[in-house]
Amino acid sequence: MAAIQEYKCPCCGGAIVFDSTAQKMKCPYCDTEFEVDALAGYDSELKNEQEDDMRWESAAGTEWQAGETDRLRTYLCQSCGGEIVGDENTAAASCPFCGNPVVMMGQLSGSLKPDYVIPFKLDKKAAKEALNRHYHGKRLLPKVFQDQNHIDEVKGIYVPFWLFNAEANADIRYRATRVRAWSDSRYNYTETRFFAVSRGGMIGFERVPVDGSTKMPDDLMESVEPFDFSEAVDFQTAYLAGYLADKYDVDAGKSMERANARIRKSTEAAFASTVTGYTTVVPEAGSVRLQNSSVKYALFPVWILNTTWKGKNYIFAMNGQTGKLAGNLPLDAGAYVRWLFGLTGAAGVAIFIISYLLWLL
């Protein structure tokens, strides 16, 4: 069956037809006219559009060699199911994710050996100091939170990350307008010109990180990024001494969707930044194709701080390399109400003053 090409008016969305009198394409609904040559070029763009191809070619991590896991132990939390890895001397009295006791299970098996590790640079003391700074200046934080709150657990954990490398070839088409307005003694005029804008090119991505643990909230891990990969070294089990390592439960294949989403978002933002000089710009269609892709497996250092207040657990994470900290805080409902009424009250006073001045005029 032959394909049917229907041209849509970019102004109103109606179907446009050829007007033999004007020798132009014209929309019968809003009377917008288009040059035939312009639509021919648009038709060519449509025919050359490609589908997304965001497949990854290489796997990450390597197999453990004989004897490498002899001194490693895994710990299983009976409450949240978290599985973490440490050396034979690591004392894991409680789960760093939920605070419940953990049980030592045995040697590490059935997972890949990391390619890289970024060693911890900041200690437990720095993590506690960062949390105290995080409290400072939070006017809606309950005043008793910092006093009554105590840190239940501070654990240094190597979090599993998949690092995605690729070249992204992309083609994106935009619908853009330029609007010009002027007036004479009788009328106000507005002229709107419509453009089909295309952008194509390649962007290289190196080490796009996606954490491989369901226990670590994605937004929390992304909030403590970035990590400085220039300080990464080839993985050795010695770096685990005194720390824990979260065992990945989301493999590289299942992490590709998030990697693709991050790559697509960055690509679209980079291309959109080049479309300038228009009044409005709206993306219409686009495709991203990956090539020369590879995936690596790394462990990144994160301090996890568990705190409890009024029976609720609050988790904070600090980048063990840079010191960047993130986490949610409780809200003082009373302070929030007072703050809200303060805003509305100030707005009411401003409206009264303006009304009074207008009345005087």
Side-chain angles (χ1 to χ4, degrees):
M1 181 179 293
I4 298 175
Q5 175 68 55
E6 184 180 32
Y7 294 101
K8 295 288 188 180
C9 174
C11 301
C12 67
I16 57 179
V17 297
F18 180 72
D19 187 311
S20 59
T21 302
Q23 290 294 296
K24 293 181 179 181
M25 300 295 289
K26 187 174 183 178
C27 175
Y29 303 99
C30 65
D31 292 331
T32 304
E33 295 181 345
F34 305 88
E35 296 291 341
V36 175
D37 290 343
L39 286 180
Y42 180 67
D43 186 30
S44 177
E45 288 287 336
L46 292 177
K47 291 178 180 178
N48 291 329
E49 285 184 352
Q50 303 182 56
E51 298 291 332
D52 281 347
D53 185 3
M54 301 184 75
R55 294 173 294 179
W56 295 85
E57 300 171 358
S58 302
T62 58
E63 297 295 331
W64 293 95
Q65 301 300 312
E68 284 189 300
T69 63
D70 290 347
R71 301 182 64 183
L72 298 181
R73 300 291 184 268
T74 58
Y75 302 81
L76 180 65
C77 177
Q78 304 295 335
S79 178
C80 71
E83 189 171 2
I84 51 183
V85 182
D87 65 7
E88 60 185 354
N89 298 316
T90 300
S94 60
C95 175
F97 305 112
C98 67
N100 287 297
V102 294
V103 179
M104 190 173 79
M105 300 297 292
Q107 291 182 202
L108 176 68
S109 62
S111 62
L112 295 173
K113 174 185 174 181
D115 297 303
Y116 306 105
V117 59
I118 295 179
F120 274 88
K121 290 184 65 176
L122 301 174
D123 58 14
K124 183 183 295 186
K125 179 181 178 182
K128 292 181 178 180
E129 291 174 349
L131 182 59
N132 288 329
R133 290 195 299 270
H134 189 62
Y135 294 153
H136 184 70
K138 305 297 191 301
R139 293 193 300 172
L140 300 182
L141 179 69
K143 293 182 179 179
V144 296
F145 178 77
Q146 186 171 356
D147 298 331
Q148 295 182 4
N149 180 64
H150 63 282
I151 300 176
D152 299 320
E153 194 75 24
V154 181
K155 289 290 185 181
I157 302 178
Y158 283 108
V159 178
F161 275 83
W162 303 107
L163 307 179
F164 294 87
N165 308 282
E167 295 175 350
N169 280 298
D171 294 287
I172 303 178
R173 190 179 74 252
Y174 305 87
R175 184 175 73 250
T177 66
R178 284 182 183 149
V179 179
R180 183 170 68 97
W182 70 95
S183 302
D184 59 21
S185 59
R186 298 182 61 188
Y187 299 104
N188 295 324
Y189 303 91
T190 300
E191 176 191 71
T192 303
R193 301 174 64 191
F194 295 85
F195 300 86
V197 182
S198 297
R199 289 291 185 269
M202 184 189 73
I203 300 180
F205 290 89
E206 292 186 353
R207 297 180 292 273
V208 177
V210 176
D211 76 87
S213 172
T214 58
K215 284 88 68 181
M216 306 297 274
D218 294 339
D219 57 348
L220 187 61
M221 288 299 95
E222 292 181 3
S223 295
V224 299
E225 293 178 12
F227 292 86
D228 182 2
F229 193 81
S230 66
E231 297 179 346
V233 297
D234 292 336
F235 176 78
Q236 297 182 41
T237 57
Y239 289 108
L240 298 184
Y243 300 97
L244 301 172
D246 186 13
K247 182 180 176 182
Y248 70 84
D249 56 3
V250 181
D251 61 27
K254 294 179 180 177
S255 299
M256 289 176 182
E257 183 177 353
R258 281 189 59 215
N260 287 344
R262 299 189 77 171
I263 288 175
R264 174 182 287 280
K265 183 177 180 180
S266 297
T267 300
E268 291 175 347
F271 279 42
S273 67
T274 69
V275 184
T276 59
Y278 299 96
T279 306
T280 63
V281 177
V282 178
E284 276 194 318
S287 66
V288 179
R289 288 93 53 201
L290 300 181
Q291 63 184 34
N292 300 325
S293 61
S294 64
V295 187
K296 294 297 183 180
Y297 175 32
L299 298 180
F300 287 172
V302 177
W303 284 101
I304 298 295
L305 302 93
N306 276 285
T307 64
T308 304
W309 187 65
K310 288 189 174 181
K312 185 176 180 180
N313 187 43
Y314 293 87
I315 299 178
F316 302 88
M318 188 190 83
N319 187 315
Q321 180 191 35
T322 68
K324 185 178 181 181
L325 185 138
N328 293 325
L329 293 168
L331 176 69
D332 185 336
Y336 175 74
V337 171
R338 291 190 297 272
W339 172 79
L340 183 62
F341 273 95
L343 287 181
T344 56
V349 171
I351 292 173
F352 173 79
I353 294 174
I354 294 172
S355 300
Y356 179 72
L357 292 174
L358 291 175
W359 178 79
L360 290 177
L361 295 176

